[in-house]
Amino acid sequence: MPTDTGNATYLDAVGLALDSEMDRDPDVFIIGEDVGQFGGAFKVTKGFLDKFGPRRVVDTPIAETGFTGLAAGAALVGLRPVVEFQFADFISCAFDPIVNVLARHHWRTGDPMPVTMRAPFGGRLRAGPTHSQSVESYFAHVPGLKIVMPGTPQDAAGLLISSIRDDNPTLYLENKYLYRRLKADGPISLDPIPLGVAKVVRQGRDITLVTYSAGVHQGLEIAEELDKDGISVEVVDVRTLVPLDVETIVKSVRKTSRAVVLHEAAKRLGYGAEIAATIQEECFWHLDQPVVRIAAKNTPTPTSPPLEDAVIPQPAEIAETLRKVARA
């Protein structure tokens, strides 16, 4: 079982939140491939089967459509399922129950649908085109789903707790590159963090970087470097894509008058397009420069390390873009 040593990793934080919610609420259960005996593809649920038993930690066949549909049925009789997809790439197998059942049912009947879907996503692990995808935009277009993408261990815990307690179906996307690379700088709080509330993680005056997930850590490191050149970058972590905290983004951009949006997903119709459009609509008369997007190239993620690095945004590209927009 996960323990909080005072410097919990992002992965530990997810496990701590799950453990806490299963202790608190007997209606919460975990379902997915290898979540029990194997402890999950990344060992997030290691030890959960021994502690909570097979009725609350349910191993399934390789059948994403089936166990996602089962979770929908369980939610309708009052339970709070937490569905684990081994990789976000595999969630497309469950597109029908997510889009046509989970996202629609409440709006047809008024019944709550408290299903949390956890899915590790993203690249940088040299895992190739079928284990590196960023899937948020597929689902952000679908009314009825909430989408959460934490970028720090503390947010990973607090936002997962809020997702589980929420009566809406929630897609909770974990960046697996961060699992063992980010550590908390103190004990993890197990208080819920409200969904739909962005966070200004670095104050700045010259330009706003709007980002989420792995982009937060990346953006903070680059902002420190640019500060040496006299460029002050404000970094906004949106944390929840749906609902989007427009007010915090607008307040920041109206202050700096320049905005860059960063994410790991492909640029074409990526979520950055939604954020950029929102900024244009809400801040047009405050902007000194057009909003610029930094995103992955419009191609499947390669397995080859140099090719993957050429596809996914790298620090040099991000720094150069921020520098160019800030000084334009």
Side-chain angles (χ1 to χ4, degrees):
M1 295 299 297
T3 55
D4 190 353
T5 59
N7 59 352
T9 63
Y10 186 105
L11 184 146
D12 293 334
V14 174
L16 288 166
L18 280 173
D19 183 35
S20 173
E21 284 304 283
M22 291 184 73
D23 272 337
R24 187 188 70 85
D25 184 350
D27 289 334
V28 176
F29 74 97
I30 298 169
I31 185 169
E33 297 154 359
D34 289 332
V35 295
Q37 291 191 4
F38 192 68
F42 294 92
K43 303 299 184 185
V44 171
T45 54
K46 183 180 180 181
F48 278 62
L49 180 62
D50 292 336
K51 178 174 180 180
F52 295 106
R55 291 180 64 84
R56 298 186 66 196
V57 183
V58 182
D59 275 326
T60 71
I62 301 174
E64 285 81 2
T65 303
F67 64 70
T68 305
L70 188 153
L76 290 178
V77 296
L79 301 179
R80 290 187 176 273
V82 179
V83 179
E84 178 180 310
F85 296 93
Q86 288 191 330
F87 291 83
D89 312 66
F90 308 157
I91 202 170
S92 54
C93 298
F95 199 75
D96 181 56
I98 293 172
V99 170
N100 285 322
V101 180
L102 293 175
R104 311 288 191 220
H105 188 84
H106 170 78
W107 302 96
R108 296 172 62 205
T109 67
D111 296 331
M113 187 58 83
V115 177
T116 302
M117 296 167 281
R118 295 183 41 241
F121 81 98
R124 300 187 176 90
L125 297 185
R126 318 314 190 190
T130 60
H131 292 73
S132 306
Q133 296 176 60
S134 297
V135 301
E136 63 267 30
S137 288
Y138 299 163
F139 299 99
H141 184 66
V142 179
L145 298 174
K146 292 187 176 182
I147 301 180
V148 178
M149 299 186 73
T152 68
Q154 183 54 70
D155 282 352
L159 291 170
L160 179 55
I161 289 171
S162 290
S163 299
I164 294 171
R165 295 182 187 181
D166 201 287
D167 281 342
N168 295 277
T170 301
L171 179 58
Y172 179 91
L173 294 170
E174 306 161 12
N175 192 306
K176 55 185 181 287
Y177 178 74
L178 304 180
Y179 269 162
R180 294 178 176 85
R181 286 175 170 78
L182 291 188
K183 293 184 177 180
D185 54 3
I188 292 288
S189 168
L190 294 175
D191 293 331
I193 294 174
L195 305 185
V197 179
K199 184 177 183 180
V200 178
V201 293
R202 187 183 194 278
Q203 295 285 340
R205 64 175 183 278
D206 298 326
I207 186 169
T208 296
L209 177 65
V210 184
T211 188
Y212 51 87
S213 191
V216 177
H217 184 65
Q218 206 172 21
L220 287 172
E221 286 188 340
I222 294 164
E224 289 300 315
E225 288 298 313
L226 293 181
D227 202 52
K228 299 171 186 174
D229 297 335
I231 298 173
S232 175
V233 182
E234 181 149 307
V235 181
V236 177
D237 177 4
V238 299
R239 304 200 289 190
T240 305
L241 274 60
V242 182
L244 182 65
D245 181 359
V246 174
E247 181 178 352
T248 296
I249 296 171
V250 167
K251 184 178 178 182
S252 176
V253 175
R254 287 184 176 178
K255 181 176 79 171
T256 64
S257 299
R258 290 172 167 83
V260 169
V261 184
L262 166 67
H263 59 63
E264 185 178 323
K267 187 174 185 178
R268 185 176 59 227
L269 295 179
Y271 199 75
E274 175 67 20
I275 295 174
T278 300
I279 293 172
Q280 301 275 19
E281 289 170 353
E282 300 291 334
C283 307
F284 183 81
W285 298 109
H286 297 264
L287 288 170
D288 288 340
Q289 288 294 316
V291 182
V292 174
R293 291 176 289 156
I294 306 171
K297 293 180 172 55
N298 298 319
T299 178
T301 307
T303 307
S304 159
L307 291 180
E308 184 180 42
D309 289 347
V311 168
I312 294 177
Q314 299 297 311
E317 178 191 2
I318 300 167
E320 179 57 29
T321 303
L322 286 166
R323 190 178 285 112
K324 182 178 178 181
V325 176
R327 288 177 170 169

